[in-house]
Amino acid sequence: MSIAKVRVGMIGYGLSGKVFHAPLLKANEGYEIVKVMTTREEEIEADLNGVEIAYSAEEIFEDYTIDLVIICTPTESHYSLTRAALQSGKHVVVEKPFVVTSAEAKDLIELAREEELILSVFQNRRWDSDFLTLQECMSQGLLGEIHTYKAHFDRYRPEVKQRWKEHSLSGGGVLYDLGSHLIDQALILFGIPLTVWADVQSQRPGSTAPDYFHIIFGYETGLRVELRAGSLVIQPGPKLEVHGKNGSFQKFGLDPQEEQLKAGMTPADEGWGLEKEVSFAEVTTIIDSVSGEQETFPVPSIAGNYDRFYDEVYDAVIDGAALPVHPTEALEVIHAIELAIRSSNEKRVIQWFDEVEY
């Protein structure tokens, strides 16, 4: 039995469009990609045979058959393209980071509300294997009340490449790129912090956009959330290090889904999102509070599932179900980035609501 199709127009076919969005959409029978705005005609012919090339965003906005527009362009263009798509009556998914400023985010959220249209942001790393596994360990009470959370996203990329992410001062750099993921995950786990402290730097010669950040969120309970990313880390430490009153969680390595997508795998393939045993997290818990005896054991990784994002977007478009990422959540991420930049520039701790209308 056939199901209703959500007809998609994509704007941009760089890394995110080619590696993430298009393969996930192709693997989901609820979607049909009908147009892509790009200059990469040969890649579209090879990857999406039969899909029409659009030479302007207006060709997609003016196509009455398109239900959903997916925006995969440089961050500084997200606001104007999303606004135009909403004004043309299209539902919209925006690649992260949502936009450059919280003011832009608020305007788009209000416009989507007025037009009764869906607006979501592709915060795909909510469905990373390590993050899902940590959430399960926390829900089981293996760690107890969390007092220290550390998440790192480190790379070794000593040469500054000629691409917008590494040069644009408007939404470029690792804080907007990798920071969007780490901040989103932290806010999902622990909610809005009281304070933000940050150090944001360009460490590599020739770097014009930030390539390093260190952020600390402070909470009323005493919880400290430490988020860090760097571009000159030859040997990364733990990706996640979480300590609670009853136990500790430590996890090395990255979720496999991005590399699987680059290799041509899809969610329909066996082994999708699965990590090897060598990559399993390690948990240490107190098993005797009197003697302090501890137990350390591996925790099998829950399979990552980026495909869940588009499953839930489909349900939202067709049936009005809840969005996988609500735009107000994406607004909070951009607000946190703004506060981190301000904290670093002013060299002080910033209150989340300090002098900011939110």
Side-chain angles (χ1 to χ4, degrees), residues 46-344:
D47 300 342
L48 305 171
N49 188 30
V51 170
E52 184 178 345
I53 298 289
Y55 296 97
S56 70
E58 287 69 27
E59 290 182 52
I60 290 178
F61 300 151
E62 294 170 3
D63 187 334
Y64 72 92
T65 70
I66 289 176
D67 307 300
L68 173 69
V69 173
I70 299 172
I71 295 172
C72 309
T73 57
T75 306
E76 61 187 355
S77 65
H78 286 185
Y79 172 70
S80 60
L81 288 172
T82 301
R83 197 169 215 293
L86 292 170
Q87 289 176 324
S88 68
K90 310 300 186 187
H91 302 298
V92 182
V93 166
V94 190
E95 177 58 74
K96 66 82 212 160
F98 185 8
V99 283
V100 178
T101 70
S102 56
E104 291 175 341
K106 291 175 188 177
D107 180 65
L108 294 178
I109 291 169
E110 181 59 29
L111 178 59
R113 185 181 299 119
E114 290 174 357
E115 299 294 334
E116 298 182 344
L117 293 166
I118 284 168
L119 173 60
S120 191
V121 178
F122 189 61
Q123 291 285 0
N124 59 299
R125 292 194 179 274
R126 292 187 184 188
W127 295 278
D128 270 0
S129 176
D130 55 5
F131 188 63
L132 296 173
T133 303
L134 172 61
Q135 286 180 299
E136 180 63 21
C137 288
M138 290 173 62
S139 70
Q140 291 178 5
L142 291 178
L143 309 181
E145 183 180 353
I146 305 301
H147 55 76
T148 305
Y149 173 91
K150 299 180 181 182
H152 294 189
F153 208 142
D154 293 317
R155 296 167 167 172
Y156 184 62
R157 296 183 177 177
E159 301 297 327
V160 179
K161 295 182 179 181
Q162 294 303 313
R163 57 180 186 170
W164 72 266
K165 283 188 178 182
E166 300 200 46
H167 289 278
S168 174
L169 295 178
S170 182
V174 297
L175 180 55
Y176 274 93
D177 184 18
L178 305 181
S180 293
H181 291 308
L182 298 185
I183 291 168
D184 181 67
Q185 290 177 338
L187 296 182
I188 289 296
L189 289 177
F190 305 112
I192 300 301
L194 290 178
T195 60
V196 178
W197 174 91
D199 181 32
V200 182
Q201 301 292 334
S202 296
Q203 294 184 324
R204 297 174 299 172
S207 179
T208 56
D211 56 20
Y212 166 89
F213 67 80
H214 185 177
I215 299 171
I216 296 178
F217 289 162
Y219 290 79
E220 187 175 10
T221 60
L223 165 68
R224 288 297 179 267
V225 167
E226 177 184 302
L227 311 174
R228 193 171 74 192
S231 304
L232 292 172
V233 181
I234 296 173
Q235 183 61 50
K239 171 69 163 50
L240 287 171
E241 184 181 339
V242 187
H243 304 286
K245 291 184 177 179
N246 297 340
S248 294
F249 176 101
Q250 185 170 264
K251 175 71 172 64
F252 288 82
L254 295 175
D255 177 275
Q257 292 173 93
E258 180 172 349
E259 294 306 313
Q260 289 178 335
L261 286 166
K262 288 178 178 177
M265 285 185 65
T266 77
D269 292 325
E270 184 177 354
W272 170 257
L274 291 176
E275 290 195 319
K276 297 179 181 179
E277 188 173 344
V278 68
S279 298
F280 287 175
E282 186 175 85
V283 169
T284 300
T285 61
I286 302 294
I287 59 176
D288 189 322
S289 58
V290 176
S291 67
E293 183 181 355
Q294 302 177 359
E295 179 184 16
T296 299
F297 52 90
V299 178
S301 299
I302 295 174
N305 55 343
Y306 293 165
D307 40 308
R308 180 176 163 188
F309 176 85
Y310 276 115
D311 287 343
E312 295 188 18
V313 167
Y314 179 87
D315 290 340
V317 171
I318 298 298
D319 298 321
L323 286 167
V325 179
H326 196 278
T328 57
E329 297 170 336
L331 161 62
E332 289 165 353
V333 172
I334 301 305
H335 182 62
I337 290 173
E338 291 175 323
L339 294 183
I341 293 170
R342 182 176 163 198
S343 171
S344 183

